[in-house]
Amino acid sequence: GAVVSQHPSWVICKSGTSVKIECRSLDFQATTMFWYRQFPKQSLMLMATSNEGSKATYEQGVEKDKFLINHASLTLSTLTVTSAHPEDSSFYICSARVVQGGSPLHFGNGTRLTVT
Amino acid sequence: AQSVTQLDSQVPVFEEAPVELRCNYSSSVSVYLFWYVQYPNQGLQLLLKYLSGSTLVKGINGFEAEFNKSQTSFHLRKPSVHISDTAEYFCAVSEGGNTPLVFGKGTRLSVIA
């Protein structure tokens, strides 16, 4: 089946530093990947849509300069949290689908970010 | 715009009892519906999906769901739950193409021995 790999699974960083999260589609190509954020005991909120070879599309209220997304190849999208603050601490999950037409999204295992 | 409502934030149930997790959606166009399960500190695993055809869909781990267009519902059911079913369950909707999923707030299923 389709596998989405996310790395790292957890990271602790100091306030003011930047953190990069990688999302890879291991056995399929993904022209589009979706980044979600999940607060404790809450649902998943779409942050942005990552498009291979072009700029990401950000949801309203998501700071594009803080959450930098790069989709440099058909199998890799990265999310960089710049100048992280404690309020950025959250669970970040990427996803992609193998084919279009309403097929399900396949999710990575998520990255737990803790900013101290 | 699409939206998903999961009315029950928590559902406790005894082991081997049946369970139903409710999901209602709203959308102005045809939709595709999904149920995902999430275990602590993990990503989401697809349980089942409705794309078209039969309104009763069967998924993994003995779960099934029924699409009801008139009631705009997609409730998840299992006739006999196990301790290992304890997890967070999310209902989601998509309008097709390469659009993202919109999730409900989730239902915490707790199976009691």
Side-chain angles (χ1 to χ4, degrees):
Chain A
V3 177
V4 176
S5 174
Q6 196 171 334
H7 178 81
S9 56
W10 59 271
V11 58
I12 301 173
C13 71
K14 293 186 176 180
S15 186
T17 62
S18 295
V19 173
K20 179 184 285 188
I21 302 170
E22 292 187 347
C23 180
R24 295 180 184 272
S25 55
L26 294 187
D27 48 1
F28 66 100
Q29 294 181 332
T31 57
T32 303
M33 291 185 177
F34 303 99
W35 287 93
Y36 288 84
R37 181 175 182 176
Q38 185 179 30
F39 290 101
K41 300 187 185 302
Q42 294 190 27
S43 188
L44 286 82
M45 300 302 297
L46 180 67
M47 297 177 65
T49 300
S50 171
N51 303 298
E52 188 269 335
S54 64
K55 292 183 178 180
T57 304
Y58 291 82
E59 296 299 299
Q60 190 174 6
V62 178
E63 299 177 59
K64 60 181 67 177
D65 294 331
K66 165 168 274 297
F67 299 101
L68 299 179
I69 291 174
N70 183 277
H71 196 149
S73 77
L74 288 171
T75 59
L76 173 64
S77 174
T78 60
L79 168 67
T80 302
V81 183
T82 63
S83 187
H85 289 113
E87 56 265 32
D88 297 326
S89 299
S90 191
F91 195 57
Y92 294 88
I93 313 176
C94 70
S95 63
R97 54 167 55 94
V98 178
V99 295
Q100 299 186 21
S103 61
L105 286 177
H106 299 276
F107 287 83
N109 278 332
T111 297
R112 171 74 59 193
L113 171 62
T114 301
V115 184
T116 61
Chain B
Q2 311 158 81
S3 67
V4 177
T5 301
Q6 291 181 246
L7 293 170
D8 306 303
S9 60
Q10 297 185 59
V11 173
V13 62
F14 286 105
E15 191 175 17
E16 298 184 3
V19 70
E20 178 180 83
L21 305 183
R22 296 181 291 170
C23 172
N24 288 89
Y25 69 92
S26 67
S27 175
S28 58
V29 298
S30 297
V31 296
Y32 303 93
L33 295 157
F34 309 88
W35 275 98
Y36 286 85
V37 61
Q38 185 181 35
Y39 299 99
N41 292 310
Q42 293 189 27
L44 278 70
Q45 181 183 9
L46 179 69
L47 278 178
L48 47 79
K49 61 184 183 287
Y50 172 78
L51 304 182
S52 65
S54 173
T55 57
L56 181 65
V57 292
K58 293 187 183 298
I60 62 171
N61 301 342
F63 285 94
E64 64 179 33
E66 186 158 17
F67 170 59
N68 188 317
K69 188 174 182 179
S70 63
Q71 297 186 4
T72 60
S73 68
F74 190 56
H75 301 332
L76 181 70
R77 303 186 184 98
K78 185 170 182 177
S80 175
V81 296
H82 301 133
I83 295 290
S84 58
D85 292 323
T86 294
E88 192 81 22
Y89 291 80
F90 291 96
C91 180
V93 63
S94 166
E95 291 185 344
N98 206 9
T99 57
L101 298 186
V102 174
F103 287 88
K105 292 187 175 182
T107 297
R108 172 71 179 175
L109 174 63
S110 297
V111 180
I112 306 161

